[in-house]
Amino acid sequence: MRKIVVQMSVSLDGFFEGPGGDIGWHQVDEELHQHFNDVIAPMGGFLSGRVSHELMAAYWPTADQDPTASGPEREFARIWRDMPKIVYSRTLDHADWNATVVREVDVEQVRRLTAEPGGDLALGGADLAATFARHDLIDEYRIYVHPVLVGRGRRLFPDADTPTGLRLVESRVFGNGVVLLRHERVR
């Protein structure tokens, strides 16, 4: 079975973006970006919401043509372009870059997708992650805690009525102070 993996950066106070959608405080250096590439490259696809997909599609398709791009950035551009994508959107009719638009999160359809052969599926976007969490579809959380207090913005985890059991399977401190906390769902 393929796993659904949420991989998100957050501030120490739990925000994935600051006011106005600011993510300028993310501390992604070459070491961290290479780590992202190493864990994403073997995956079987990206699952994202419209906003996340459009943000990615605005930059990554041609990022490797930028002479100032780092090696890991050029590598990720190729990974992103080639990786199959499912974009969950009620408003998009079409999405480019090897993407299929799906209107709603259908639990049975997602379970069929995880039963297919291939690598795990990277789930991106806080709103979509909240929907998947409500349906108990997330198998693993890879949370990258950046050493900054943002103060306000959008929190990664919305309020919930019940606790979700998790088990720490990995932690790692990167040279820039970012800490990976990797948890699996307790089932």
Side-chain angles (χ1 to χ4, degrees):
M1 292 283 290
R2 302 196 290 180
K3 293 187 294 186
I4 294 179
V5 179
V6 171
Q7 183 168 313
M8 295 283 288
S9 289
V10 298
S11 62
L12 184 60
D13 51 353
F15 297 100
F16 72 91
E17 64 182 21
D22 177 37
I23 59 170
W25 49 268
H26 285 195
Q27 298 177 22
V28 181
D29 60 8
E30 285 200 31
E31 176 195 19
L32 184 57
H33 204 189
Q34 187 60 56
H35 165 80
F36 289 158
N37 292 353
D38 293 345
V39 297
I40 290 172
M43 290 194 162
F46 290 113
L47 309 174
S48 60
R50 178 192 56 80
V51 172
S52 294
H53 178 76
E54 287 178 340
L55 287 171
M56 299 294 279
Y59 179 72
W60 289 110
T62 59
D64 55 345
Q65 297 168 18
D66 180 349
T68 65
S70 69
E73 288 172 320
R74 288 191 301 277
E75 179 184 357
F76 185 77
R78 291 186 294 273
I79 292 167
W80 189 86
R81 267 195 316 267
D82 295 343
M83 185 82 61
K85 299 164 204 60
I86 295 177
V87 180
Y88 290 89
S89 173
R90 293 181 187 102
T91 58
L92 283 181
D93 291 322
H94 174 78
D96 290 323
W97 306 108
N98 200 17
T100 302
V101 175
V102 174
R103 295 282 173 228
E104 301 283 337
V105 175
D106 177 314
V107 173
E108 292 309 313
Q109 180 186 45
V110 172
R111 288 194 174 122
R112 284 191 301 274
L113 187 62
T114 60
E116 293 176 4
D120 293 338
L121 302 167
L123 178 63
D127 293 336
L128 186 61
T131 299
F132 271 64
R134 275 194 309 275
H135 292 296
D136 195 26
L137 294 170
I138 299 173
D139 300 297
E140 183 176 312
Y141 293 87
R142 293 179 187 167
I143 306 302
Y144 296 84
V145 181
H146 293 249
V148 62
L149 299 172
V150 175
R152 57 190 172 93
R154 291 186 62 203
R155 293 197 181 279
L156 176 56
F157 297 104
D159 292 342
D161 294 326
T162 59
T164 300
L166 302 171
R167 180 175 56 89
L168 181 67
V169 294
E170 179 185 5
S171 63
R172 177 178 172 182
V173 179
F174 293 89
N176 62 5
V178 172
V179 176
L180 162 62
L181 297 173
R182 183 174 155 228
H183 290 85
E184 290 180 345
R185 255 316 245 122
V186 175
R187 301 220 183 250

